[in-house]
Amino acid sequence: MRIAVVRPQVPFAYGGVEIFSDALVRELQARGHDADSVTVPFKWYPGARVLTQAFLWRLLDLTEADGKRIDMVVATKFPSYLVRHPEKRVWLVHQFRQAYELDRTDLGQFSESPEDRAIRRRVQELDRVGLGEASRLFATSQNVAGRLERSTGLVAEVMPHPAQDIPYRNDGPGDFVLSVNRLDRAKRIDLLLEAAATEPTLRVVVAGDGPDRQRLEQLVSDRGLSGRVRFAGRVPADELADLYATCFASYYAPVDEDFGLGPYESFLSGKPVITATDAGGPLEVVHDGSTGRVVEPEAAAVAEAAVWLRDHPDEAATFGRAGMMVAAEVTWDRAIGRLLS
Amino acid sequence: MKVALFSPMPPERSGIADYSALLLPSLRERADVVVVKRGTKKPPRGTDLCVYHIGNNPEAHGWIVEALRRTPGVVVLHDFVLHHLIAGLTIGRRDGHGYLDAMEREGGVVGRLLGHAVLDKRIPPLWENRPEDFHLAGEVLDLATGLVVHSRYVHDRARATAYSGPIWIVPHPAFPVPDLAAADVGGEPLFGSFGNVNASKRIPQLLEAFAQERRRHEGSALLLVGATSPGFDLDRRLQRLGLDGTGLVREGYVDERRLWQLMIAAHVHVSLRSPTMGETSGTAIRALSLGRPLIVSDAGWFSELPDEVALKIPVDDREVSTLTAALELLATRPDVREAMGVAASDLARREHAVERVAERYVAAFEQAAGGGAVADAVLTEVSEAAADVGIAPGSDEATEIARRLAEVQLGD
């Protein structure tokens, strides 16, 4: 089949969705499909620009390319699912969250002005139209599917996507907690840093980059954590595998996260995960006392969980192995079989 | 966003007053809603949007139409036919010319002549015997910057008048069911009809059908609750059909508590209506909340109820026999009653939950208040980009862009 995997591209940003959709293209190609990635730059501010930028997708003609028919498009994220195609499948990573659960929070975008309120509603209408047209609709997690049903009434099949393919291994428990995530307020990495501030024996490595980096570095400086917290930045695959292999646990506790690849990567390295009770998608695979620790989103609780896992390496290893069994169930063969069926 | 709400409110006795009171707390969780005092014609300072609840009763809604005339806004159209309201606002205020103008606007010269005949008392009032032929909603629709309606039926009728503003279909909210015991009323099963007892509620047809059904199932009973409309000779009809002795339980106007108790007692709710003014039936919504199967007329809003919750009776020359068959089916098949009741409860929870309805209301308000500016911003940016690359207005390319905008509802 000839398949276009479509996604918006925020210039100079590369994160979970980009990793996922690029991997999907590669995996489709590996199974003999003629797959390609189609991206359109996306800027969601100011004012009504979120709508006009979304509308760009509506003008695209992806029924064929260079005289050859495109059999299917697979969209992943707002606003790419506004593209028109007779065989449009959506594997939803997330909607435009500012228009939904992040509205009227610190992470929201829309003010109380009548114009902003109306823009938010228009975004919701776009979702109803774009997602409602899909011939099949999948969501990467129960959390994403639940939000979708509550906001639009549309029902999606839950289908997690596999973690990125890097040389995962387990070198045994090291002496640090690892955070792998985009440095963004919603990812709540500051909670881990505050935990380190309350527990002087805790060491932390933060992998990833993003707009919150300066604030987080300032926090490390303010709390006197410079000797115990290291910012590794964006790391290549081998180095990421090294970090997972040598940490004693990973931390992944965003606010109401859609899905979250982090726990799967950690599990594939045999490492347990620390998350928070309000983390959303990760809670579907991270279970307290089974595959990791689930604690209240408070620094002291995160610190306690980390110290416990560090000081109980046998239990931590058991949690990691249990997690690995969960992650091993999520394969590209199964996912692509469902996606194309 | 500040919303000024023009609506009858309790203690006024009106279905729309109860409706607004039910929704108000949930609306206020989502927007700054100010209820305008009855008789006030101007919205409070700083109002972003005026919302007018309009039904067909001039006592309850006359002042609201007057406020709408001063400040256009979103109209919640509870009835599509507003003939009685307009008659009250014109003839009722000694403004015969106003009535003639309204009739002419809708019915042309013939309408004006009929209006004269009404004023001269040469024919009975049209709002009593032919309201559906002259809805007289034109002025209200002209003033409405957007419409909230409760059914596809009213949506389509508004569009048929060439109304071009936005229309949002928002379901009627379900009333919370009070924790009450059923009234002690016999009947196996007990059919219940609630509301005014008159011809437009198809009571003559219901009585005939029930009389036939009861010949086969002596245990069944029919509960009629509500005031008898003037001129409707219920007693004579009951006598003729042999229902004046047993089988029929009659209660006149009852208070809210008693109404619920009687509704809980009924195994099947019958809610017939023709002609329809486009209204939603509050009693039918209560039946859904109670998880009771419904028998309804296949007309207006009632036609839009899912088949799983309601048996629909076409209003035609076989109406009585179809209705008889429906009564018999539900009398003899408790399993069907049970399944329909479960579906009714599900529908009430899913579509008519107060929180869900309030969310849809506020979505409509927000689109109404800011949607115009947003649409302008989108169209300006898109048209400027199109012009920059030489796409001329009216060209095939511009038409294509307009079509795509309309598909995703950005084109208005």
Side-chain angles (χ1 to χ4, degrees), chain A residues 48-49 51-53 55 58-59 82 84 104 112-122 124-126 129-130 133 149-150 153, chain B residues 1 29-30 48 356 359 362-363 366-367 369-375 377-378 381-382 400-401 404-405 407-412:
Chain A
R49 180 123 320 145
L51 301 174
T52 53
Q53 296 282 295
F55 178 62
R58 203 64 187 175
L59 293 176
L82 284 171
R84 297 164 61 246
R104 291 176 168 148
E112 293 301 313
S113 74
E115 290 77 15
D116 267 13
R117 294 285 98 199
I119 292 168
R120 173 174 171 263
R121 295 296 180 180
R122 293 279 179 164
Q124 295 177 349
E125 285 298 325
L126 292 180
V129 173
E133 292 170 338
E149 186 169 5
R150 285 192 296 278
Chain B
M1 192 182 66
E29 286 174 12
R30 294 164 170 80
D48 295 304
R356 184 179 170 87
E359 177 62 22
V362 173
E366 290 182 350
Q367 290 177 59
V374 171
V378 170
E381 188 168 351
V382 171
E400 170 84 0
I401 292 171
R404 299 289 162 246
L405 283 164
E407 278 175 2
V408 292
Q409 298 175 28
L410 289 174
D412 52 335

Side-chain angles (χ1 to χ4, degrees), chain A residues 145-303:
Chain A
R147 280 191 211 137
L148 178 69
E149 186 169 5
R150 285 192 296 278
S151 60
T152 65
L154 297 169
V155 177
E157 304 170 50
V158 176
M159 184 164 74
H161 63 76
Q164 60 179 320
D165 187 16
I166 62 172
Y168 298 106
R169 66 180 196 284
N170 185 351
D171 292 348
D175 66 350
F176 64 94
V177 184
L178 175 65
S179 167
V180 180
N181 218 328
R182 181 173 152 76
L183 305 189
D184 185 305
R185 270 182 185 268
K187 306 302 183 186
R188 210 159 44 184
I189 292 152
D190 48 357
L191 183 60
L192 177 62
L193 302 182
E194 294 288 5
T198 69
E199 175 48 57
T201 65
L202 203 57
R203 303 181 69 82
V204 172
V205 173
V206 178
D209 208 345
D212 204 27
R213 178 161 184 163
Q214 194 175 2
R215 188 182 72 89
L216 294 171
E217 288 179 338
Q218 186 62 47
L219 184 63
V220 166
S221 172
D222 293 346
R223 297 285 188 274
L225 302 172
S226 300
R228 294 190 285 123
V229 174
R230 177 168 77 87
F231 286 91
R234 274 179 64 181
V235 296
D238 285 348
E239 190 178 337
L240 183 61
D242 288 346
L243 288 169
Y244 274 122
T246 54
C247 68
F248 68 80
S250 71
Y251 164 86
Y252 196 87
V255 180
D256 193 22
E257 180 70 322
D258 317 299
F259 165 61
L261 276 172
Y264 285 85
E265 293 178 351
S266 187
F267 290 158
L268 289 169
S269 309
K271 299 299 168 71
V273 177
I274 301 164
T275 191
T277 50
D278 60 354
L283 298 172
E284 293 170 32
V285 290
V286 183
H287 305 298
D288 193 42
S290 170
T291 56
R293 293 294 310 275
V294 181
V295 297
E296 293 298 315
E298 294 162 4
V302 172

Side-chain angles (χ1 to χ4, degrees), chain A residues 20-44:
Chain A
F20 160 56
S21 69
D22 286 349
L24 175 58
V25 170
R26 284 195 305 275
E27 297 291 340
L28 287 166
Q29 290 169 341
R31 286 159 182 78
H33 298 289
D34 184 8
D36 203 357
S37 182
V38 176
T39 68
V40 173
F42 182 47
K43 180 167 177 276
W44 57 92

Side-chain angles (χ1 to χ4, degrees), chain A residues 19-95:
Chain A
I19 292 168
F20 160 56
S21 69
D22 286 349
L24 175 58
V25 170
R26 284 195 305 275
E27 297 291 340
L28 287 166
Q29 290 169 341
R31 286 159 182 78
H33 298 289
D34 184 8
D36 203 357
S37 182
V38 176
T39 68
V40 173
F42 182 47
K43 180 167 177 276
W44 57 92
Y45 59 90
R49 180 123 320 145
V50 63
L51 301 174
T52 53
Q53 296 282 295
F55 178 62
L56 293 176
W57 285 94
R58 203 64 187 175
L59 293 176
L60 301 183
D61 180 356
L62 288 183
T63 54
E64 57 178 59
D66 201 18
K68 286 177 68 180
R69 193 165 78 104
I70 297 174
D71 301 301
M72 180 185 288
V73 298
V74 179
T76 53
K77 183 181 170 184
F78 179 86
S80 64
Y81 43 71
L82 284 171
V83 72
R84 297 164 61 246
H85 195 277
E87 193 54 77
K88 177 167 70 175
R89 309 237 161 153
V90 177
W91 194 353
L92 186 65
V93 176
H94 57 74
Q95 298 165 269

